[in-house]
Amino acid sequence: MNIHEGTRYLLPCSASFKCYDRFSILDDPGELEDADDQVPFWHILTALLRSSVETPTQLAELLDTIAVTLRDSSGPAGDYQLLTSFIGASQPSFFDTHWPLIVQLALELPQHFPSGSLPVLGAEGSLSTLRLSRRQTACLVVHQFLCTLHAPVWREDFFDFSIWYGSGQRHEAACEIYLACLFAYLETFLSTSKQQQDDRDITYTLVAAQTDYAALGSSPVSLSPIEIVLVDNYQTSPKQLGLPSGAAVVSANRYIGSGQSATQEEVHVGSSPEACPAVLITPPLERNQVLVVRGAKAVINIAGQRRDIGAAPHESEGSVDWRQRTMLFMDALELDAEGDETSLPDLAPENLTREVNKAAIAFTSGPYEVVYSPLWGCGAFGGDPFVKVMLLWCAASVANVPLKIICDRREGKVASSLNSLVLEAGRRLETAQDLLGLLLSVSRKTTRLETFDCMIERLAASARDR
């Protein structure tokens, strides 16, 4: 099946989106069949969505029919056990309320996307921004739920929600929370008018820059204000998301999107269904690219990360203007794969340059009053938190925006050291050039976390030399 046309991502309503009618769903497919005996999938889907679905088992059978029709396999959904159990246990009115809405939104696809496709961001001749109404976005989200979409050419999996459906999940609690977010998101369309449902747009922008921000130039770049903020838990609460007028860093993979566990990126995307369609139109991020998503609501406040997460409603929900929410998807270098016993890859000049540029591209993508960031790239990617925070501080200074680094209670010791480091650096240094010079002065033979002592010593030495 030809599912892509150049720079476009084909949707299920496209006449070019074809498959075999494996289960003879269509009564008379004769006129629809092409020379390869394939038919437009949309005719099969509309027939399937007219069937009666009143129980979790019937839903699983429908989803499996769709999956096998398109992919000849149930795929990651497997036995659908987690999905059916979750709906049976926690969504008693699903088939009276949510399911009719899902069917309605799914069938609106040709109305919302008459071309039958989406632009691939950044592709040759394509736009770098896609702006969607809330209802257009919801239409795509329900198709991710129904698993009626095909994988983009740059990835094979993690593009729909089937990854949350099967038994044997490595992080079952996370998958259940993401499903709860999805259904809570759909509930907002049950309780509001269509006019209210389109009170804001969601935009997906691939930002690219050719500027070498790390070069800094000869003009002094004054250091921006920085604060190390220690919290009990990471949260997707408005305050930690940079609202009302800031932005929040999402520690992304090159292949952005949701997942089955609880990394910071997975939590941010899983709590925000309106961010999920980005995976369909965003190729893997290049070294000079970041993805900026604006207007996506975090439906539920997810607190914690990895194995220790929980969910709760937002406080003061009515006062939050989600139009102002900005997610900065920026991928850090996977330094855990680069290290050796004799040098710290964080300190390689080319890596310092790459990370400053990546962060500066994100921080200069809009007029932000403040940027919130976790310890970017310091988890699974193995980055040194002291080096990374100094690099983020450089980038924030280039963008002339205040920076707040969020650390949770498990990072309390690192947070305390970071407070000491930024206080001392703020006293001894004046410009981003000075800060980058400090990093370049640290020996590459320094081991991870020993960079703190080394930078403190360098700062003390510079004071003595004056």
Side-chain angles (χ1 to χ4, degrees):
M1 180 194 305
N2 179 18
I3 61 171
H4 292 267
E5 298 174 347
T7 61
R8 309 290 296 184
Y9 174 80
L10 289 190
L11 295 170
C13 60
S14 169
S16 300
F17 195 109
K18 296 183 177 183
C19 64
Y20 295 107
D21 185 7
R22 302 177 190 274
F23 298 102
S24 301
I25 303 298
L26 302 177
D27 294 330
D28 183 16
E31 293 185 1
L32 297 173
E33 289 181 340
D34 62 15
D36 297 320
D37 297 325
Q38 292 190 333
V39 299
F41 171 65
W42 189 249
H43 293 273
I44 294 176
L45 180 60
T46 54
L48 288 172
L49 292 179
R50 286 196 295 266
S51 61
S52 176
V53 176
E54 299 178 349
T55 67
T57 298
Q58 290 176 339
L59 174 62
E61 291 173 349
L62 173 66
L63 294 178
D64 201 50
T65 299
I66 291 171
V68 175
T69 296
L70 288 177
R71 292 175 280 277
D72 198 25
S73 167
S74 301
D79 57 10
Y80 297 90
Q81 183 61 44
L82 190 148
L83 175 65
T84 56
S85 297
F86 181 81
I87 291 176
S90 62
Q91 303 290 324
S93 62
F94 177 86
F95 295 100
D96 294 325
T97 56
H98 292 74
W99 180 246
L101 173 65
I102 289 170
V103 171
Q104 179 185 355
L105 286 168
L107 293 176
E108 289 178 7
L109 192 66
Q111 170 189 335
H112 293 305
F113 304 96
S115 69
S117 63
L118 299 170
V120 173
L121 297 180
E124 185 177 354
S126 182
L127 299 173
S128 60
T129 296
L130 177 64
R131 180 181 296 273
L132 299 177
S133 69
R134 282 193 66 212
R135 199 161 182 95
Q136 283 179 306
T137 306
C139 184
L140 295 175
V141 169
V142 299
H143 278 277
Q144 289 180 292
F145 171 76
L146 294 169
C147 307
T148 56
L149 305 166
H150 269 289
V153 293
W154 53 84
R155 66 191 307 158
E156 297 179 354
D157 49 19
F158 294 90
F159 60 92
D160 62 23
F161 303 151
S162 62
I163 55 175
W164 302 331
Y165 295 169
S167 61
Q169 296 283 346
R170 57 186 176 184
H171 198 330
E172 184 174 305
C175 295
E176 289 181 344
I177 288 175
Y178 301 150
L179 287 172
C181 290
L182 173 64
F183 296 144
Y185 165 68
L186 292 174
E187 285 174 8
T188 65
F189 289 85
L190 294 170
S191 59
T192 56
S193 67
K194 285 191 175 182
Q195 182 177 2
Q196 290 173 311
Q197 292 164 14
D198 278 340
D199 60 345
R200 57 185 161 84
D201 291 339
I202 295 87
T203 61
Y204 313 85
T205 302
L206 188 66
V207 180
Q210 302 303 322
T211 303
D212 180 6
Y213 289 105
L216 296 176
S218 57
S219 299
V221 176
S222 298
L223 290 175
S224 288
I226 184 173
E227 181 182 357
I228 309 301
V229 181
L230 184 63
V231 297
D232 285 339
N233 286 295
Y234 289 112
Q235 298 184 31
T236 56
S237 62
K239 186 174 182 180
Q240 288 194 27
L241 299 180
L243 288 162
S245 51
V249 169
V250 178
S251 294
N253 286 278
R254 284 191 66 221
Y255 296 82
I256 61 100
S258 56
Q260 296 167 296
S261 54
T263 66
Q264 195 245 8
E265 178 182 23
E266 290 168 337
V267 166
H268 275 245
V269 176
S271 68
S272 311
E274 290 167 329
C276 292
V279 72
L280 306 174
I281 56 173
T282 309
L285 297 174
E286 300 295 340
R287 61 181 292 117
N288 68 329
Q289 294 176 330
V290 299
L291 175 71
V292 179
V293 177
R294 293 189 173 96
K297 178 180 179 179
V299 180
I300 290 177
N301 180 22
I302 301 178
Q305 61 178 335
R306 299 184 180 90
R307 289 291 166 187
D308 183 21
I309 63 169
H314 289 296
E315 298 179 2
S316 305
E317 169 67 21
S319 63
V320 179
D321 183 359
W322 290 103
R323 292 175 297 180
Q324 303 302 318
R325 189 212 180 164
T326 300
M327 307 169 74
L328 304 176
F329 288 80
M330 36 190 272
D331 58 306
L333 287 170
E334 297 187 39
L335 298 173
D336 58 319
E338 292 189 22
D340 58 46
E341 296 181 356
T342 61
S343 66
L344 188 66
D346 306 64
L347 296 170
E350 64 273 18
N351 289 344
L352 294 174
T353 296
R354 190 270 189 192
E355 301 292 67
V356 170
N357 277 324
K358 177 70 69 167
I361 292 168
F363 297 171
T364 57
S365 63
Y368 308 123
E369 288 191 5
V370 63
V371 171
Y372 285 78
S373 176
L375 294 177
W376 176 60
C378 297
F381 286 2
D384 181 283
F386 304 111
V387 174
K388 277 292 194 290
V389 169
M390 296 298 102
L391 291 172
L392 291 172
W393 194 4
C394 277
S397 301
V398 169
N400 193 28
V401 60
L403 176 66
K404 293 192 177 186
I405 302 295
I406 307 294
C407 301
D408 73 2
R409 63 180 183 276
R410 286 160 294 194
E411 300 158 344
K413 185 175 181 180
V414 169
S416 177
S417 296
L418 280 170
N419 262 317
S420 299
L421 180 58
V422 300
L423 179 63
E424 191 65 16
R427 291 173 56 199
R428 306 297 183 191
L429 308 178
E430 296 181 355
T431 67
Q433 288 92 335
D434 295 338
L435 197 56
L436 193 56
L438 172 65
L439 287 168
L440 290 169
S441 73
V442 178
S443 170
R444 288 189 61 186
K445 293 182 180 180
T446 307
T447 59
R448 188 176 187 272
L449 301 183
E450 289 184 354
T451 50
F452 166 73
D453 290 329
C454 185
M455 282 190 272
I456 289 292
E457 290 173 4
R458 292 285 192 279
L459 290 167
S462 68
R464 290 194 298 268
D465 292 341
R466 290 180 179 177

